[in-house]
Amino acid sequence: MKPERFPILEFDPARKAVIEPSEQIGPRDVPERCVPCFFQDVIAGLIESGTAREVACMKSEMGRHPLYEIEAKGQRVAVYQPGITAAFAAAMLDEVIAYGCDRFIACGSAGVLDREIAVGHVIVPVSAVRDEGASYHYAEASREIEPHPDAVAAIERVLGEHGVAYTAGKTWTTDGFYRETPGKVALRRSEGCIAVEMEAAAFFAVARFRGVKFAQMLYGGDDVSGDDWDSRRWNGHGSVRENLFWLAAEAATLL
């Protein structure tokens, strides 16, 4: 390899790394379909109700990160909390793929760059601006990266069948949520971003590199479109979060 002006541009397409997930984590009897779910409250509810059972477990310095199994539409579906920020979410996804999951519909929330997008309104990312670091280790540098079209189609089919209104659009993935400045927000809005979150670009890059299908559903949360932040009590909508989870699980069964 030759050095670039900026290290983040030094993508190496080599298929094998020094620490390779498939060599460290053997395949397990896990569902092929999987929902990375950011809503720990929803996962806790699945566990407490006996709906979810643990089938595998990842570990980090923060402790255990279980992979659960549920049933949706008569099919086995895996569920796990992917962690926050692109770097951690990318590593977790890589490990879950090594276990044997290969079709993913994630569900989470996002800040909105347009205050007309109501709290709870469903957003389907069709592209993510790569303003984070993890994706550059899985895909050659580009301004944006896309989810798998089959996974997006599965989401749109389920939303349509249930009559759920949604907006398909571009999201902005960033590592620094305390550095979402008015200037950056204006720039992202000018290139068509309607939401901001911290993982989508990394998810899409890992999935593309590993040859698996991945797309994501978000719901409109806090508003960062103005000079002052409006939380809009974005994480206090339990029914919205639970409903989105089950829509994601149903979409996963279509893959």
Side-chain angles (χ1 to χ4, degrees), residues 157-221:
R157 176 179 166 184
V158 166
L159 295 177
E161 289 176 350
H162 287 272
V164 177
Y166 69 93
T167 301
K170 188 184 302 184
T171 186
W172 164 28
T173 305
T174 176
D175 284 331
F177 68 92
Y178 282 130
R179 293 299 300 153
E180 295 167 8
T181 64
K184 275 282 188 74
V185 169
L187 176 61
R188 297 292 174 254
R189 283 170 56 100
S190 72
E191 59 184 310
C193 292
I194 61 173
V196 57
E197 37 63 47
M198 302 184 73
E199 299 85 16
F203 278 150
F204 302 162
V206 173
R208 180 182 296 181
F209 185 78
R210 298 297 181 191
V212 303
K213 296 182 178 182
F214 196 111
Q216 187 168 13
M217 306 169 69
L218 303 165
Y219 75 85

Side-chain angles (χ1 to χ4, degrees), residues 45-112:
L46 296 172
I47 297 167
E48 291 169 6
S49 67
T51 304
R53 68 181 185 93
E54 185 175 321
V55 292
C57 186
M58 299 159 281
K59 296 180 181 179
S60 75
E61 289 284 14
M62 291 183 288
R64 303 177 76 253
H65 307 285
L67 181 72
Y68 300 99
E69 178 180 323
I70 64 167
E71 182 178 308
K73 294 294 182 178
Q75 297 188 40
R76 300 171 66 203
V77 176
V79 181
Y80 75 103
Q81 218 291 353
I84 305 299
T85 74
F88 192 80
M92 291 279 283
L93 177 58
D94 226 342
E95 294 190 10
V96 172
I97 292 170
Y99 278 141
C101 300
D102 62 9
R103 281 160 276 182
F104 298 85
I105 303 292
C107 61
S109 62
V112 300

Side-chain angles (χ1 to χ4, degrees), residues 92-143:
M92 291 279 283
L93 177 58
D94 226 342
E95 294 190 10
V96 172
I97 292 170
Y99 278 141
C101 300
D102 62 9
R103 281 160 276 182
F104 298 85
I105 303 292
C107 61
S109 62
V112 300
L113 305 185
D114 178 354
R115 66 189 52 174
E116 297 302 315
I117 298 175
V119 176
H121 182 73
V122 176
I123 297 168
V124 180
V126 294
S127 180
V129 172
R130 300 169 63 186
D131 190 16
E132 40 68 59
S135 69
Y136 291 86
H137 300 283
Y138 289 88
E140 189 171 353
S142 63
R143 189 159 191 87

